[in-house]
Amino acid sequence: MLVRRFTSNTCLPVSLWLLATMLCIPLAGAQDLPDTAADLSIPASALDITSLGQPSGHSETWGLTTGWRFKDERWQVRLFANTSGRLALPQLGVLSLTAEASLLYDGFDLGVAGGLYTNLLGFRQGIEANSLDEHLWFRLSADFALRRGGLFGHGELLRVDYEPMTGTVLVGFTLRWPLTRYRQNRPRYDFVIIEPYRFEPPAPPRDAAQAQTLRELSDAILTLERLLTPTLARENLDSKKGRKHFERAAVALRGPADEPRDPFTVADSTYHVMMDRLFDQVASDSVQGTRLAAIAESTLLDELVIPVNRIFGQKKRSFNFGVYAMAARSRFAIRVSEVFTLWNQTSLLRAQDAFDAVAAVVLEASRQSRKRWKDDRMVWLPLNYGLRRHQYDTQAERDAVVAAVLDRPFSEAGQVQFLINDRWQYELERMIQQTEYYQVLLIHDFKGGTESHPDPIGWGHMTVAYLDALSAAVADIDAGRRDILPQFSIFIDQFYYEKSGGRDILTFLEELYQADTPDLDDTLLVQRIAEAQQRLREEVEQSPVLSAWSNKERRRRLRVHINVTNVFDPSYSVDALARDHRKIAYRDIFEDQPQRGLAIVTGQGVGAHYLGPCWDDRSLLIRGTGLVSIKDATRALFLGQGYDSTEVPYYLRPRKPPPDATAVYAQLREQGWRSRFLVVTNGTGFRDKSASVLKATLYNLMLAGDVVVAPDSIWTCDFWSGMLIATALRGCHVVAIGPERRTAASNAPVTLDLMRNTLSTLIAASHLLEDQMAATGGSLHVGLYARRADVQDLGASVDGLLRAYEAGVDEQRLISLSPSSLDALKSAQRRLTARPVQIEHLFPIDGDCDPKLHLKSQFFVSGAGL
């Protein structure tokens, strides 16, 4: 997810979404800048890259079991070793074939045994012959993970064997093969470890006025939390009971009939007024009380609210945020003693008790949230506990809040360019060709197709792009234009690696220089690959530098480094469905030379499936200082696969910023790099969820008159739909767009059913709460993506916009086109109708198809900016 600042030189959202994204043009200064950076000091050892490689199709384990053989009434000990070959869905550990050999001892005799088993989801069944009985026995066996990652943290499993005919029951352990290094590729714990601490609130104040103030303040605190994240989409609206529950929950969000403001704004105002009053009563001076309240609110934000919200989306070991409240208590005491130096101990203690009472209620709000959602991952504390509206009503202030919540600064200088559909593939190939030092593709899908139907993008464009880039690099080395080969890496999650049929093409890329010509049922495609491969070999043979390399050295240097991540581990079987779905490509990101780096954040994969007239998606091409976070995320991914810091590829290691960083950033801004952005990603499974934290922060910061346009291909999360409804109730304009059945990129029945329920909830809320939203100036619109025209047909987009705009009051209120803008669009419509543009796609499709909505990029803009 990417957040960027909207300034006057960006394109305006002149449609609800579709036309805006098609008319967006690069920012001023987004053209390539001359590279004035000095050459980087790259050691020769940088060519020796550690890569994860591809998962093996088999695994070996050994272990020891012991138990009782009831038929002979004797005990038995087994030392076994086995090898398993995966047959189906290896990314989920579904089916494999296991051959096992054992050494037996029953107290009298020593024997051997051999068996063959099918392994289905960790449960084995098969036959075994042993030298003690000289019979074939049917056996059952199963492995269990007693703890995540194994009993001792190295994948150890509890094993139970049962032999029905002899009544033998054995129990023991399955262990990893001792000659291989176990690499833990998931977090050891599936929760955030929070130090348990019981925060004791002070006794209720004896002063009646102060007690009344605290009661009103507590009500406002709890109301703010309930109204910011309402639980509305949990009920199934198909049932009468579900509709009644929903209506009761929705009515609870209404404000008094005589109150023009929304209940959230009323509670927010009440909270801050009561905070001022409480600390006025403590200080007995309104000026000092207001200052004290400001210290209390900022301390709550920094030490309690933000730390709790940073672990949003993650399970908690013990739901106890007392440690954060204690940190806030200590920080408050220090700040008060620094500001009010003349106060005596009694006054300081009164202020401390008041602050502790407020902190205790905020902790109660977190418990209320957990109870409502029945899930500690969904706990979000309103940032309003520490922010007043005048503190986040400008772009700079909102940027500062976002940076504080994520503990990450915005870019100092940057460029952002919008890419539509096919442009992703063109820019990816261009990126590979222009790589100076290294290029990384973090992708969820790299399609190879089949031998009879090879993917023309994976096998054609991408394979040739890598080959040609290396050929050009060899020529540049000989010409003295470079002194090191570029390094290419691909990271792909095993789930999608297996699903997309990419093993053959990734194996080819991994052995690029010496790989055999692929056996594909496409003569022209094979010929194109062979020619590119031959060009590379000829360049190497003619190179004065590289011709001296051995074949082993050439194979090691001239290839694409393949990294298959999150390989299935039975000791982490609960994580099997938690996958890495990121899609990012970048090259040459260095902290000390930010002008070199380039990244593409996208929603697409590599394959013909993602191109053509029927896949509606967007990408962002980014340059600037903030790209380092992408490299940091890749390094964290590599380390998360069980490797240590000494094994991290050279290019992914951190570097120091330039010594004259301020001057470098200023020069870039003068050359047009004026966009400010922040890039964050969600970690896989139980890891950090920074992107989700960012989205919740933005929803929280939306003010009356602001606009949120949220197209998404999958609407299944009731938390986000609740926040959208709350945003509309606060006076914002919210546009939620989802696909219909024909245009859904993911059209599994379960997904469609969940999406239907979520969108139905939004539609029902827009009707049931329409008067309340209108009273605050807000609105909630739900639309289905039902496009039939080519996804890049600008004429169809302009025509659809004008028809909707002229016929719809809501559209006119949202967009408010000036007469000159409306005339310009109508003029464009006439020209496009008279001379329709001939659209050319990188991968055209024969016949008709239904465009698929896959875009998941949300658009936030203030009313003034719109």
Side-chain angles (χ1 to χ4, degrees):
M1 177 178 287
L2 181 143
V3 176
R4 56 163 302 198
R5 179 176 183 175
F6 294 94
T7 55
S8 59
N9 64 340
T10 62
C11 54
L12 294 179
V14 294
S15 74
L16 295 183
W17 158 64
L18 184 63
L19 184 66
T21 61
M22 298 189 69
L23 291 179
C24 280
I25 58 176
L27 302 184
Q31 69 276 6
D32 291 342
L33 294 179
D35 187 5
T36 58
D39 289 336
L40 290 163
S41 177
I42 305 294
S45 60
L47 289 171
D48 298 318
I49 290 182
T50 300
S51 55
L52 309 181
Q54 301 183 65
S56 171
H58 58 85
S59 61
E60 291 76 31
T61 59
W62 71 287
L64 184 69
T65 59
T66 184
W68 190 254
R69 183 180 167 103
F70 286 91
K71 178 180 180 180
D72 301 329
E73 294 188 350
R74 64 176 66 179
W75 57 274
Q76 186 179 98
V77 177
R78 282 177 173 250
L79 178 66
F80 66 87
N82 61 43
T83 181
S84 298
R86 299 178 178 89
L87 301 179
L89 296 176
Q91 67 271 35
L92 301 177
V94 172
L95 182 64
S96 61
L97 186 66
T98 301
E100 183 171 280
S102 304
L103 185 65
L104 315 177
Y105 181 67
D106 61 4
F108 298 97
D109 300 311
L110 187 66
V112 295
L116 190 65
Y117 306 88
T118 57
N119 189 337
L120 181 64
L121 294 173
F123 293 87
R124 288 181 294 276
Q125 47 274 317
I127 56 173
E128 178 190 87
N130 69 71
S131 62
L132 298 182
D133 296 323
E134 297 182 352
H135 287 290
L136 286 174
W137 300 113
F138 176 72
R139 291 175 59 82
L140 297 172
S141 178
D143 289 323
F144 303 94
L146 297 181
R147 293 180 60 195
R148 281 178 57 83
L151 186 61
F152 306 111
H154 291 84
E156 301 88 358
L157 303 172
L158 173 69
R159 172 164 169 159
V160 178
D161 293 345
Y162 176 55
E163 197 174 274
M165 300 300 293
T166 61
T168 303
V169 178
L170 305 176
V171 179
F173 294 99
T174 296
L175 309 173
R176 296 287 177 173
W177 197 246
L179 301 180
T180 59
R181 174 181 172 182
Y182 176 70
R183 297 189 184 275
Q184 176 184 309
N185 61 7
R186 267 83 169 178
R188 176 69 161 149
Y189 301 104
D190 61 353
F191 47 75
V192 177
I193 300 175
I194 304 173
E195 181 182 351
Y197 195 95
R198 185 174 179 82
F199 180 79
E200 294 290 348
R206 295 182 180 180
D207 181 77
Q210 190 173 341
Q212 177 62 26
T213 300
L214 191 56
R215 281 193 293 273
E216 294 184 38
L217 180 60
S218 299
D219 290 342
I221 290 174
L222 298 176
T223 301
L224 280 174
E225 186 282 321
R226 178 178 61 83
L227 293 178
L228 183 67
T229 58
T231 51
L232 289 175
R234 301 179 66 87
E235 305 296 341
N236 189 335
L237 299 183
D238 288 336
S239 69
K240 185 176 181 180
K241 181 179 179 181
R243 288 194 296 273
K244 286 185 176 181
H245 285 175
F246 168 77
E247 289 172 2
R248 283 198 295 269
V251 169
L253 299 178
R254 292 179 180 271
D258 59 346
E259 175 57 64
R261 294 184 298 171
D262 67 284
F264 184 91
T265 301
V266 173
D268 185 35
S269 176
T270 301
Y271 167 75
H272 294 295
V273 168
M274 290 301 111
M275 283 289 283
D276 287 342
R277 182 180 299 175
L278 177 65
F279 286 99
D280 284 351
Q281 294 166 344
V282 168
S284 300
D285 180 282
S286 61
V287 175
Q288 289 186 340
T290 301
R291 193 173 183 186
L292 196 59
I295 294 174
E297 290 183 10
S298 63
T299 303
L300 282 173
L301 180 70
D302 296 339
E303 304 296 338
L304 180 54
V305 175
I306 287 180
V308 170
N309 288 348
R310 279 179 185 159
I311 53 177
F312 171 76
Q314 295 179 273
K315 295 169 64 176
K316 287 78 175 173
R317 180 177 186 176
S318 59
F319 194 79
N320 184 349
F321 298 137
V323 64
Y324 300 137
M326 282 302 300
R329 167 189 284 172
S330 300
R331 181 61 181 158
F332 179 76
I334 293 172
R335 295 182 66 183
V336 171
S337 62
E338 290 174 346
V339 174
F340 300 96
T341 56
L342 299 180
W343 276 19
N344 57 34
Q345 190 65 27
T346 302
S347 298
L348 292 174
L349 287 176
R350 283 203 307 268
Q352 187 69 67
D353 285 346
F355 178 83
D356 289 351
V358 176
V361 182
V362 173
L363 292 180
E364 177 58 30
S366 70
R367 290 188 286 268
Q368 172 181 282
S369 179
R370 183 197 186 195
K371 182 179 180 180
R372 283 191 302 107
W373 287 105
K374 299 180 176 62
D375 190 339
D376 59 11
R377 294 175 298 174
M378 299 292 103
V379 173
W380 178 267
L381 295 178
L383 299 172
N384 306 67
Y385 294 158
L387 291 173
R388 304 194 179 202
R389 296 206 166 200
H390 67 83
Q391 294 177 298
Y392 60 96
D393 59 358
T394 68
Q395 184 67 57
E397 290 170 341
R398 294 192 197 190
D399 286 355
V401 174
V402 169
V405 173
L406 295 170
D407 194 22
R408 186 177 300 174
F410 275 73
S411 64
E412 294 289 341
Q415 297 179 324
V416 178
Q417 183 176 343
F418 217 64
L419 305 179
I420 301 175
N421 299 319
D422 290 14
R423 286 307 317 172
W424 144 252
Q425 185 64 39
Y426 287 112
E427 294 296 339
L428 177 60
E429 293 178 45
R430 184 183 181 198
M431 174 188 288
I432 292 171
Q433 296 288 347
Q434 294 182 345
T435 297
E436 294 182 81
Y437 295 97
Y438 76 103
Q439 189 268 340
V440 175
L441 178 62
L442 180 60
I443 201 70
H444 82 298
D445 196 2
F446 199 113
K447 290 193 180 297
T450 63
E451 290 184 1
S452 57
H453 296 91
D455 187 273
I457 302 301
W459 276 112
H461 290 264
M462 288 301 293
T463 300
V464 173
Y466 284 120
L467 285 165
D468 286 350
L470 287 171
S471 297
V474 174
D476 286 346
I477 289 176
D478 294 337
R481 291 188 292 268
R482 65 160 64 228
D483 55 8
I484 196 170
L485 284 172
Q487 298 297 304
F488 300 104
S489 297
I490 295 175
F491 288 82
I492 183 170
D493 188 286
Q494 189 198 13
F495 181 86
Y496 302 106
Y497 162 83
E498 302 286 357
K499 183 180 178 181
S500 64
R503 181 182 292 270
D504 289 342
I505 187 171
L506 293 178
T507 299
F508 181 87
L509 293 174
E510 196 172 33
E511 303 170 355
L512 196 60
Y513 180 75
Q514 290 286 358
D516 295 332
T517 303
D519 184 16
L520 305 174
D521 190 16
D522 188 326
T523 306
L524 294 178
L525 193 59
V526 172
Q527 180 181 353
R528 187 179 170 199
I529 295 170
E531 290 174 351
Q533 197 172 27
Q534 184 59 31
R535 286 196 297 272
L536 174 59
R537 290 171 180 169
E538 290 176 354
E539 288 287 353
V540 172
E541 292 295 338
Q542 297 169 8
S543 169
V545 178
L546 274 65
S547 60
W549 287 3
S550 65
N551 281 335
K552 180 180 179 180
E553 188 77 358
R554 295 175 185 179
R555 287 197 304 271
R556 193 158 61 95
R557 309 287 198 196
L558 298 163
R559 65 185 183 119
V560 179
H561 298 272
I562 305 301
N563 302 271
V564 178
T565 61
N566 303 312
V567 175
F568 176 76
D569 183 339
S571 63
Y572 290 100
S573 56
V574 71
D575 293 43
L577 294 178
R579 315 311 309 195
D580 191 343
H581 201 247
R582 288 173 288 188
K583 286 86 74 174
I584 303 172
Y586 65 93
R587 66 166 173 84
D588 300 327
I589 296 177
F590 295 102
E591 291 85 338
D592 50 346
Q593 295 194 11
Q595 56 270 60
R596 291 188 185 273
L598 175 70
I600 305 174
V601 180
T602 183
Q604 298 170 272
V606 173
H609 174 68
Y610 300 98
L611 307 175
C614 304
W615 189 266
D616 214 343
D617 218 325
R618 301 294 184 270
S619 305
L620 288 167
L621 189 149
I622 320 165
R623 290 187 173 99
T625 58
L627 295 185
V628 172
S629 62
I630 297 179
K631 187 176 81 168
D632 293 343
T634 311
R635 182 171 63 252
L637 172 63
F638 189 92
L639 292 171
Q641 304 307 301
Y643 289 77
D644 58 48
S645 57
T646 63
E647 298 172 292
V648 173
Y650 177 85
Y651 297 117
L652 295 181
R653 297 177 187 178
R655 297 165 68 98
K656 295 180 180 179
D660 54 344
T662 303
V664 171
Y665 302 155
Q667 182 184 11
L668 289 175
R669 286 192 292 271
E670 289 176 1
Q671 293 174 313
W673 294 42
R674 299 189 183 93
S675 293
R676 302 179 70 243
F677 62 84
L678 188 68
V679 180
V680 291
T681 61
N682 274 352
T684 306
F686 300 102
R687 302 186 191 275
D688 173 74
K689 303 299 177 188
S690 296
S692 297
V693 171
L694 171 59
K695 188 158 69 169
T697 300
L698 291 175
Y699 286 147
N700 197 160
L701 296 178
M702 290 291 103
L703 295 173
D706 293 350
V707 177
V708 180
V709 182
D712 206 311
S713 61
I714 302 177
W715 287 87
T716 59
C717 182
D718 48 6
F719 180 87
W720 298 123
S721 62
M723 286 200 86
L724 283 174
I725 293 170
T727 302
L729 285 169
R730 297 201 305 274
C732 299
H733 300 292
V734 176
V735 181
I737 303 170
E740 61 175 12
R741 182 183 298 274
R742 292 173 59 181
T743 60
S746 176
N747 56 6
V750 174
T751 304
L752 289 174
D753 185 62
L754 290 172
M755 184 162 57
R756 175 180 176 273
N757 190 60
T758 304
L759 292 177
S760 296
T761 300
L762 290 171
I763 293 171
S766 70
H767 291 298
L768 193 61
L769 300 172
E770 182 178 10
D771 292 342
Q772 181 69 29
M773 293 175 185
T776 62
S779 61
L780 174 60
H781 310 271
V782 181
L784 291 180
Y785 178 90
R787 188 180 178 92
R788 295 293 178 263
D790 188 308
V791 295
Q792 292 185 186
D793 188 342
L794 184 61
S797 298
V798 172
D799 183 66
L801 167 69
L802 287 173
R803 283 189 287 105
Y805 185 80
E806 293 174 346
V809 175
D810 289 334
E811 285 79 357
Q812 294 176 18
R813 183 171 59 151
L814 263 179
I815 304 172
S816 299
L817 290 175
S818 66
S820 59
S821 297
L822 193 59
D823 290 342
L825 283 171
K826 290 180 178 179
S827 176
Q829 180 190 39
R830 289 191 295 270
R831 292 197 304 272
L832 289 167
T833 301
R835 297 173 55 189
V837 177
Q838 297 299 313
I839 304 170
E840 293 185 5
H841 289 281
L842 182 62
F843 184 71
I845 295 177
D846 295 331
D848 297 329
C849 63
D850 292 318
K852 305 296 183 185
L853 174 66
H854 193 253
L855 179 65
K856 303 182 181 71
S857 300
Q858 299 195 10
F859 184 86
F860 301 85
V861 62
S862 68
L866 186 61

